[in-house]
């Protein structure tokens, strides 16, 4: 590692600040003005519900179209992010720190009694800054938690597109890069097609907005989920046909499990009597779904997510562990999150959870864990 290059490259440039500001500005305007399905959020303890406008897919398509026209007319350079990635990374990191410091200060001074804005202060500065104080803080008309998730997913796409443009410019575009790009693009597009499902996830419903979520959305997702692309820019890999077919199969299985499990959970929350796999759902204590994927493992969606992450890295081959950072990290994260989920559910549902565990003994990996 050339520190003489790395340290100066991490100093944010005005160009990176402009890119970041323009990106957030576009998302704020597009999220407000573009049409989209309005989804009521989960019922909060005070009886209120937030409402989320799900227009992420239209916002993303419009943004890519605008960037494409800009590149075609030579108004924009599509490789700018690939060439200034470290500067953009450091600018985004600094922005995340500043935002969470402001969130902490405003949260401590909030006198609101609503479930969304009521401050939850433990007295431990690091704990409160890391996990956040308020559940759903807003800036002007923007729900920041939902906004940052959208920004992270779109940022992932934009970085990948710039990497793709750089690979094409350098004449290094090969099958491995194409597979990686297709898998990631399909995943993110599918995410925005089903954007309303995000409103029923644990992060939106229960996690307060602190550095953990802000950094995870704005820095971790776009800059670490693209490590495979950065690596392929510097390493020429050409997978064999059999390896490519197996890679596609793993991606399809992962997608089927991930999307199927999340869809079943979302549909069950809206209509607990809806049939699953052609059969009436098995429900424990009138609350916990034990049918379909949720009858195979208690966190079967995590299995799908891990398989998808693995499929993003397999095009890179096995020459280095670096491209496998994302699936390794995700595996550790989801095991830790599964443990947190188990503890919360055991406390919340008590004997109902014990019965669910008896019916569905496997945590994530059927017959293994």
């Amino acid at each position: 590692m050339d520190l003489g290059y790395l340290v100066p490259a991490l100093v944010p440039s005005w160009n990176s600040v402009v890119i970041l500001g323009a990106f957030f500005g576009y998302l704020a305007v597009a999220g407000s003005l573009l049409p989209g399905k309005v989804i009521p959020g989960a019922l909060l303890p005070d009886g209120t519900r937030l409402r989320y406008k799900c227009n992420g897919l239209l916002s993303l398509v419009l943004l890519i179209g605008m960037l494409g026209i800009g590149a075609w007319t030579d108004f924009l350079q599509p490789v700018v992010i690939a060439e200034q990635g470290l500067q953009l990374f450091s600018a985004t990191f600094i922005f995340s720190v500043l935002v969470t410091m402001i969130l902490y200060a405003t949260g401590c001074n909030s006198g609101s009694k609503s479930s969304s804005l009521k401050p939850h202060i433990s007295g431990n500065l690091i704990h409160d800054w890391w996990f956040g104080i308020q559940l759903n803080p807003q800036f002007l008309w923007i729900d920041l938690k939902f906004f940052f998730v959208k920004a992270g997913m779109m940022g992932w796409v934009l970085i990948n597109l710039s990497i793709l443009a750089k690979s094409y410019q350098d004449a290094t575009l090969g099958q491995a890069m194409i597979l990686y790009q297709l898998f990631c693009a399909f995943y993110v597009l599918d995410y925005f097609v089903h954007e309303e499902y995000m409103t029923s996830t644990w992060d939106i419903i229960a996690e307060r907005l602190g550095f953990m979520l802000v950094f995870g959305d704005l820095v971790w997702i776009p800059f670490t989920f693209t490590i495979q692309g950065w690596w392929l820019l510097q390493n020429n890999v050409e997978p064999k046909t059999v390896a490519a077919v197996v890679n596609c199969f793993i991606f399809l299985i992962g997608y089927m499990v991930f999307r199927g499990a999340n869809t079943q959970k979302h549909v069950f929350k809206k209509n607990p009597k809806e049939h699953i796999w052609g059969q009436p759902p098995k429900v424990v204590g009138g609350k916990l779904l034990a049918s379909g994927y949720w009858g195979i493992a208690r966190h079967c969606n995590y299995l799908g997510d891990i398989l998808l992450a693995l499929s993003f890295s397999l095009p890179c081959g096995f020459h280095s562990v670096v491209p496998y950072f994302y699936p390794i990290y995700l595996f550790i994260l989801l095991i830790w999150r599964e443990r947190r989920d188990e503890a919360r559910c055991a406390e919340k549902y008590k004997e109902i959870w014990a019965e669910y565990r008896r019916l569905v003994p496997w945590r994530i990996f059927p017959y293994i864990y």
Side-chain angles (χ1 to χ4, degrees):
M1 183 178 293
D2 185 358
L3 293 180
Y5 163 78
L6 181 62
V7 174
L10 282 170
V11 177
S13 64
W14 282 112
N15 201 19
S16 63
V17 173
V18 169
I19 291 172
L20 193 63
F23 177 57
F24 287 141
Y26 167 80
L27 288 185
V29 174
S32 175
L33 299 181
L34 293 180
K37 187 177 181 181
V38 178
I39 303 297
L43 185 66
L44 299 175
D46 61 2
T48 62
R49 292 181 187 268
L50 297 178
R51 294 187 175 275
Y52 302 93
K53 182 189 284 190
C54 296
N55 58 8
L57 182 62
L58 182 57
S59 300
L60 177 60
V61 171
L62 179 60
L63 178 59
I64 293 175
M66 292 168 59
L67 293 176
I69 294 173
W72 182 62
T73 58
D74 290 329
F75 180 75
L76 299 173
Q77 293 297 319
V79 299
V80 64
I81 295 177
E83 294 179 342
Q84 301 183 21
L86 289 176
Q87 295 173 342
L88 188 59
F89 166 83
S90 57
T92 309
F93 177 81
I94 293 170
F95 176 80
S96 300
V97 173
L98 293 176
V99 165
T100 49
M101 290 174 64
I102 295 172
L103 287 174
Y104 176 82
T106 55
C108 288
N109 294 319
S110 173
S112 176
K113 301 298 182 181
S114 69
S115 297
S116 294
L117 301 177
K118 179 182 178 181
H120 297 266
I121 303 175
S122 69
N124 185 318
L125 173 63
I126 301 300
H127 176 276
D128 292 341
W129 173 72
W130 179 269
F131 289 104
I133 292 179
Q134 295 175 303
L135 183 63
N136 297 104
Q138 296 185 353
F139 176 72
L140 300 178
W141 66 89
I142 301 171
D143 181 280
L144 291 178
K145 189 190 294 184
F146 198 63
F147 177 83
F148 288 150
V149 174
K150 185 183 299 186
M153 296 300 289
M154 289 193 190
W156 181 4
V157 173
L158 296 186
I159 292 175
N160 267 350
L161 289 177
S162 186
I163 289 173
L164 181 64
K166 179 65 174 175
S167 180
Y168 178 79
Q169 176 181 283
D170 295 346
T172 60
L173 183 60
Q175 187 183 74
M177 178 67 82
I178 292 172
L179 280 176
Y180 163 72
Q181 292 282 348
L182 287 176
F183 292 158
C184 291
F186 184 88
Y187 180 87
V188 177
L189 287 174
D190 176 79
Y191 170 88
F192 282 113
V193 168
H194 300 94
E195 186 180 9
E196 65 179 271
Y197 292 5
M198 185 62 194
T199 62
S200 61
T201 61
W202 183 262
D203 284 354
I204 295 294
I205 293 175
E207 293 281 16
R208 296 187 293 275
L209 187 61
F211 184 77
M212 181 180 72
L213 285 188
V214 175
F215 175 82
D217 291 337
L218 298 184
V219 180
W220 197 260
I221 289 177
F223 290 99
T224 64
F225 291 13
T226 54
I227 285 177
Q228 301 94 322
W230 297 106
W231 191 87
L232 285 171
L233 274 179
Q234 305 298 326
N235 298 271
N236 184 25
V237 178
E238 284 302 321
K240 295 181 179 180
T241 302
V242 173
V245 171
V246 171
N247 197 171
C248 291
F249 181 75
I250 292 173
F251 174 81
L252 290 174
I253 294 297
Y255 173 75
M256 180 180 68
V257 175
F258 172 78
R259 178 51 59 209
N262 284 326
T263 298
Q264 287 176 355
K265 179 179 69 172
H266 185 77
V267 170
F268 174 73
K269 288 184 177 181
K270 294 180 67 175
N271 181 10
K273 296 183 180 180
E274 184 79 17
H275 282 204
I276 294 178
W277 290 348
Q279 300 292 328
K282 181 185 295 184
V283 183
V284 180
K287 297 180 178 180
L288 301 177
L289 177 63
S291 291
Y293 290 105
W294 301 96
I296 297 174
R298 300 197 293 272
H299 303 275
C300 206
N301 56 328
Y302 291 175
L303 172 60
D305 221 352
I306 291 170
L307 290 175
L308 285 170
L310 180 63
S311 74
F312 298 158
S313 299
L314 287 174
C316 301
F318 301 99
H319 306 284
S320 171
V321 72
V322 172
Y324 290 86
F325 175 83
Y326 173 35
I328 292 171
Y329 144 76
L330 188 67
F331 177 83
I332 296 171
L333 171 71
L334 293 182
I335 294 294
W336 172 69
R337 175 170 286 190
E338 175 267 326
R339 294 285 177 166
R340 292 176 66 204
D341 291 346
E342 291 274 327
R344 288 193 186 102
C345 290
E347 181 180 356
K348 180 177 180 179
Y349 297 112
K350 297 181 172 58
E351 66 276 359
I352 298 176
W353 184 251
E355 175 63 15
Y356 178 55
R357 290 185 59 185
R358 187 187 67 79
L359 288 175
V360 187
W362 307 110
R363 295 171 180 261
I364 298 176
F365 305 96
Y367 304 103
I368 298 176
Y369 174 72

